[in-house]
Structures are given as structure tokens and as C-alpha cells.
Amino acid sequence: MSNSTLASPAPRAVKPPPPPGQPGAREQAPQSADGMKIAQTALQSLGISTRSPYGPFTGPPEYALAVSLIFTNATNQTIIVGTPPDHVLSTSILWNSLVHDKRFTQIPMSKAAPGDIITGSGWQQGADGYTGIVVDHGRIVSNSGKGVQDNSSLVEIQRRHPGMVFFRYTGVPGHRSYPLANAGFNPDEARVPAGQPGGGQWTSGMAPSTAVVSGGNPRTTAQEAPAAKEANPQPGKPTTERAAEASKLSELAQTYLEKAKEEDQAAALAVATSRMGDEYLRHKAAADSARSIAEELQRRAYILENGTEGNYRRLMLQQYGVNNPELNKIAAYYAEKFHDQATLNWLKLQHPAERPKIDTNGLAMMAFFPEGEAGEEASVGGGTEEESAFEKANKVEGADTSENDTATLKPYNEGSGHHVPAKSAFKGDSVYNPSTAPAIPNSELDRLNIDHDLVTGAQQRLYRSYAQIGKPLTWDAVQSIETKAIVKGGMSRAAAEATVSKAINALKAAGVKQPTRIPWGGK
Amino acid sequence: MPNTNIEEFAKILVQKVRDIAIQNCDRRLRPDATNIIAERWKHTVREGNVESVARVLIPDIVDATLTQFCRAIDQELLRLLYTASNGENANLPVDGLGELAGWYIGSDGWRAKYSKERFVDDFSDLK
């Protein structure tokens, strides 16, 4: 599971690029000491989990947050001027800031060097709001569902996300420095020691008693040190701690709304000056992202301010909706805030690694949560049956994506849903059975909020295009088309690739040799 | 209606087409929905009045419903036969190869081919 990567590995040194003329050398722009330090810090951060101090907003992994924290640790600067490092939660806003920040210079991909920041605004075709840091040998370190990982490369990025932009931190002489103290951030802030629960995590901005590792597993030091918690002296009213946090969230929401307003104005200006292309889209994406974050912050502030121990769950469900796939993470956040140990216990049951038994508190809470979620999870644990091909396939691939991001496949007859790949690609194959073929079950479409209609329409479009080239359908083409289709439906590219790969592996393992026809392609 | 077969059809129609279509559309309203249709809806709601919002939502919801109807056939939940004007029968789940929903919603599908009303091609960016 995702929290297995928390232990901090030993720091690794950045190898300097070979000198010109040496094997492996390539033309690179002069590298600054800052760049090497950023790369070094990135490598030292491998395996460390990051989290937003206010929980997930834009869905894991939080690329921008990880890059911001690494950059600040390395340079003692905030990556977005005037924004605390742990408040950088939007890739599009980060991108927009870097474009206008004179401390950074845009670098072509061919000249990327260790320490350069790679990012996409999130609106470009093929650049899905990703950001990371180039280290050595063309590798890229970025956040993932498993914390900071060395999980990509320039070659891969060039192939998958040609729209990405590289920024090099050069600093500007005389440029105003933004000391960390002013940003409410301490570079020497202690991290949870390796080997302990939450080991290696930055503690910046985190509530003192909670660490939610990637994947949403709540841990409470309350369980380890119950005396650390104080009972609310006035049950039914917010504690001063909650009221203060609500106020802080409201202020932060206001900052994001102002940022959204600025971006709206910039977008309007782009329209007024007939710059309807990239510039308009960039500002609009940044505005939408900021507005979305502000809305989330306002929701949280509202519940902290108006919720009590007795009614916060109802408020939470009203605010977020009972079918929200992030509900467990949201619940973890509030359960800690409201010192609700029963909910925390129940949430622990959602994590297979920590599901030793179902206690009565857990059962009581399951009754509170929407039907299906609890039931499905409860049926998972403890079995020792032999793994099916699906279970095996579900475990492979997707190493750089969170298990929560990828879809768990099931035979179609067990969960209905969306066939991956399209079943008509195997018409006439004696081995292929559409009833037992891999599918993203309806429960997973719902959990991941994948729009089935968009996936289907995208499949039709892409397979028809492929049919026009007149070649037989290959597994590689299936992988590519099905991935694009699921991305269209709302899944991240990495998760979609891993999901499709799992499905193809399952089919191959079942003995399906190759597709027999091109779906929507005629015969 | 006393005919149990028709009642069975009615139940599938309501539960597997109407209800699923509503659930699919509801998902587009969730805060975590980032797909192109959800974004279009959110954008419209932020910037439009009731009429303009409805103008965007009506074709999208109709399309979602009809796509789900086709999917129910593709999934063999609705095993329908269509009798063509020449008298021949088409077994929709079998002859349709499970591709009816795609033919309906796809870029150069039935909407584009036959509809005289507005719709958005959400797949024109795909190559």
C-alpha cells in the first residue's frame, strides 16, 4: 500500500553532467549552485510523503506542493512570491507564477539540467497539471500517490507531455528575498523520524496530532498519546483551536479568490486584446483552479466554524455529498479536528494493512457511512484464497501512481461497468469472453468519477481514426487509445496507463493473443 | 400493466437507463469532476442565467440518457429487436457489436449525422 514508502532512504548525491565531449555529455545551459542544491534536495526527499496542510484539494498526487517544499528547502525562497510554501497547491497557478517571475528563466527541454523545474499549466493538450524537478541523468523527481518519487524521465516527458515547460531558478540580483520566517515556514522544521508512523513527513502546517499519509490512511498520535488531547470545555461550541483554524482557512480562501479575480481580469484582457489563444487559456485555468481551491477552503472553514461534535458529520455530508470519493480523507480531517476517535477507528478499517478486526465502534460508524462503501471494504480483509489473474494483474504496473488513482479491475460479470479494452476488439476470438473480460466496475467509475459517456465517445473517435491508417490493431495501439479514452473520462494519464496495462496483461494471461478487429472500424 | 414481460422491460428501462443516466449526470456536479462536460456545466452555471444554463444542460442530459439507452442494449440488458422499414429484423445487441453507445455519442456518430438540434462534440480534440 501507499504508506509502505514512507521510510526515508539515504540521501543520494547528484552526479554532475559529464564534460562536453565525454560520453553522455550534452549541451546544457550553465548550471548554478542553486540548481544543484535543488536537485540534491529533491533526491534527499525521495520516499517522503507530502500532504497539503488542509487536506487534498485537487486530487493526489499534489505535484505543486512537493515541488514548492523542495524548492524552499533548497533555496530558502518561496517558489511563488508572497505565498507560503505549503500553500502552493495548484500547478496552473505555479506555472502562471513562474512565467512571470524574473527569478526564473524558461529553458528548452534539450537544455534541461539538474534543478530545473518542469511544469505544465494543466490546460495544455498532453500536460495534465504535472510538475517535477529534474535531477541527474535526465530523471525527474515528483510527487506521487506514494510520496516524492524518482518516477519519470525527460525522455518519457518528451514523449508523453511535449507541452511541458522548463524553468531554471537563476535568482535576480537585488530581487527582494522572501525569507521563510515571513512565510510562516521553518526550513529546519523537524520531520517525523524514519521508521515511525508517518516517518519522514514534513510536519509543516500539519495539525499537531494528525498525519495523513498518501492514500488517506489517518494516523493519530492521539492513539499513541491520548493525554495530548484536550476535551472541548464547551461541548456544542467550536473550540478556540477550531475557530482559529476556520479563520485561517477563510483568510486563505479570500487570498485564492483574489488570485482568481486577478486571473479572470487577465483572461478578460487577453480576450479584449484578441489574445484568445494560450494566454487566455492559461489565465482562465489559473482562475478556475484558484476558485476551486477557495471553494474547498470555504467548505472546511464553514464546518469547523459551525460544526459541533454532534453535527459535524451531517454538515460534512451536506457540504461534500455522500458519494464523494474523497469522503474518507475528508472524514479523517474532521474526525481529528472534532476528536472523534470512533470515526478514526472506522477509517482505519478502510486501510487493508490496518484492518486486523472490526470493532464495535467501526460497525457503528459503518452504519453512518453510505451503504456499499463499508460493505465492500469489510468483505475484503483477511482472505487467504489463491490470487486470481485479476488480483495479480491489479498488483502489477502503475508503480508511479497511487493505488487509489488506478481502477481496480473486475471481471465484467462481477461489477459490470466499462470493458477495457472495448469488447468488440475481440469479436470472434475463441478465448475472449466478454462476461469475464476485464472491466472497470461501476463502483470504480463512481469512486474515480470517470465519465463513462466520454470514455465511450473517445474510444469511438480514436478507433475510427486508427482504422483509417489501414493497419491491423496492435496491443500498443490498444494501450494508447484506451488510455486516451479513459483520460478523456477524467482519470489522470499515469493512472489510466496503469489501468489499461493491467487489463491488457489480464487478457494476455488469459490467453488472448491479439485483437481481432478495430472497434467502430467496420468489419 | 398486466403483461409481466412489459413490466420487466419497464423496470430495466427505468433503473438501467433513466436512473443510471441521472446518476451519471449527478457525478458531473461533484466537486472532483474535472472532465470536459463537468467543466462546461460549472462554467455555465457560474456565468450564465437560468435560460443559458438550461440551453447547455438540455442537450447534454438528453445525450447522456440516450447514450445510456444504447449502452443498456450494448450490455444486453435490453435485448431489443428493431424491425426495419423493409421488414427485416435487426438484433440490436448482436448486430450492434456492443458499439451502439459509441456510434451515438462519437464525433461522427448518429448525432452528427442525423440531429437537427444543437450538440457539443467533446471529442474533436482527440487524434
Side-chain angles (χ1 to χ4, degrees), chain A residues 68 72 78-88 182-185 252 256:
Chain A
S68 170
T72 299
T78 54
I79 198 166
I80 296 180
V81 171
T83 302
D86 51 351
H87 290 177
V88 177
N182 289 350
F185 184 86
L252 192 55
Y256 272 97

Side-chain angles (χ1 to χ4, degrees), chain A residues 134-490:
Chain A
V134 179
V135 287
D136 54 1
H137 300 299
R139 294 180 304 147
I140 296 171
V141 164
S142 66
N143 203 3
S144 78
K146 296 181 177 181
V148 177
Q149 298 287 316
D150 165 15
N151 56 6
S152 195
S153 69
L154 287 173
V155 173
E156 191 183 3
I157 291 290
Q158 196 158 25
R159 184 170 62 84
R160 292 185 188 173
H161 307 299
M164 287 287 183
V165 179
F166 290 77
F167 294 93
R168 176 162 303 162
Y169 175 69
T170 54
V172 176
H175 191 280
R176 181 184 162 198
S177 176
Y178 293 88
L180 297 167
N182 289 350
F185 184 86
N186 175 5
D188 298 322
E189 183 172 15
R191 296 177 183 180
V192 179
Q196 293 187 13
Q201 289 187 101
W202 278 294
T203 56
S204 170
M206 292 168 65
S209 58
T210 298
V212 177
V213 298
S214 302
N217 175 36
R219 300 175 188 279
T220 63
T221 51
Q223 292 162 320
E224 292 143 18
K229 289 287 179 195
E230 289 181 12
N232 185 357
Q234 293 179 288
K237 290 187 177 179
T239 60
T240 52
E241 177 194 344
R242 286 206 304 270
E245 177 142 359
S247 171
K248 187 177 168 188
L249 291 174
S250 294
E251 284 175 22
L252 192 55
Q254 196 55 40
T255 304
Y256 272 97
L257 286 175
E258 284 164 12
K259 179 76 82 178
K261 200 173 171 184
E262 285 171 18
E263 295 295 341
D264 278 336
Q265 287 168 349
L269 187 63
V271 173
T273 53
S274 303
R275 287 176 281 133
M276 273 296 286
D278 287 357
E279 190 167 343
Y280 166 77
L281 290 170
R282 177 162 53 80
H283 287 301
K284 188 176 176 310
D288 288 345
S289 177
R291 205 174 285 111
S292 168
I293 292 170
E295 285 169 3
E296 176 63 20
L297 289 166
Q298 286 169 336
R299 278 192 201 100
R300 292 182 180 236
Y302 172 81
I303 295 171
L304 288 179
E305 199 169 355
N306 297 290
T308 65
E309 288 76 358
N311 72 357
Y312 86 91
R313 298 185 201 91
R314 183 171 53 77
L315 286 179
M316 181 185 78
L317 294 175
Q318 283 173 354
Q319 286 286 305
Y320 293 97
V322 292
N323 292 320
N324 193 311
E326 296 289 338
L327 199 58
N328 282 0
K329 291 179 184 176
I330 297 164
Y333 172 84
Y334 287 120
E336 190 278 329
K337 297 293 177 198
F338 287 89
H339 299 178
D340 182 351
Q341 193 58 49
T343 296
L344 288 168
N345 286 345
W346 181 84
L347 288 163
K348 284 186 75 172
L349 295 173
Q350 303 304 291
H351 201 290
E354 299 191 14
R355 193 190 292 142
K357 61 182 179 181
I358 297 174
D359 61 23
T360 50
N361 278 338
L363 288 171
M365 289 310 300
M366 282 182 211
F368 156 72
F369 279 90
E371 198 177 323
E373 279 192 63
E376 276 183 26
E377 293 295 336
S379 66
V380 175
T384 56
E385 311 90 44
E386 192 177 334
E387 285 182 329
S388 70
F390 275 88
E391 287 167 332
K392 287 176 184 168
N394 278 327
K395 284 183 179 175
V396 300
E397 304 292 344
D400 61 346
T401 58
S402 163
E403 288 181 36
N404 280 338
D405 296 341
T406 58
T408 298
L409 300 172
K410 282 186 177 177
Y412 181 80
N413 59 9
E414 289 184 16
S416 190
H418 172 69
H419 275 102
V420 184
K423 64 181 178 183
S424 63
F426 306 97
K427 182 172 179 277
D429 186 299
S430 58
V431 176
Y432 183 87
N433 180 348
S435 295
T436 56
I440 302 176
N442 285 327
S443 58
E444 286 291 89
L445 291 173
D446 184 67
R447 180 178 73 85
L448 298 164
N449 204 353
I450 306 301
D451 194 298
H452 199 168
D453 294 357
L454 284 173
V455 177
T456 302
Q459 282 179 310
Q460 190 264 3
R461 165 97 180 187
L462 292 165
Y463 277 120
R464 278 184 63 70
S465 291
Y466 187 86
Q468 288 173 7
I469 66 175
K471 291 182 179 174
L473 187 59
T474 63
W475 283 120
D476 283 348
V478 169
Q479 170 82 48
S480 170
I481 289 171
E482 296 288 345
T483 297
K484 286 180 183 172
I486 299 175
V487 168
K488 188 71 179 178

Side-chain angles (χ1 to χ4, degrees), chain B residues 43-78:
Chain B
H43 180 78
T44 305
V45 167
R46 269 201 297 272
E47 300 185 4
N49 54 31
V50 172
E51 186 182 340
S52 63
V53 170
R55 286 186 66 79
V56 169
L57 262 58
I58 287 169
D60 281 349
I61 293 171
V62 168
D63 286 338
T65 308
L66 289 176
T67 303
Q68 186 54 35
F69 177 75
C70 292
R71 183 171 294 121
I73 297 170
D74 290 339
Q75 294 175 330
E76 301 183 35
L77 298 169
L78 285 177

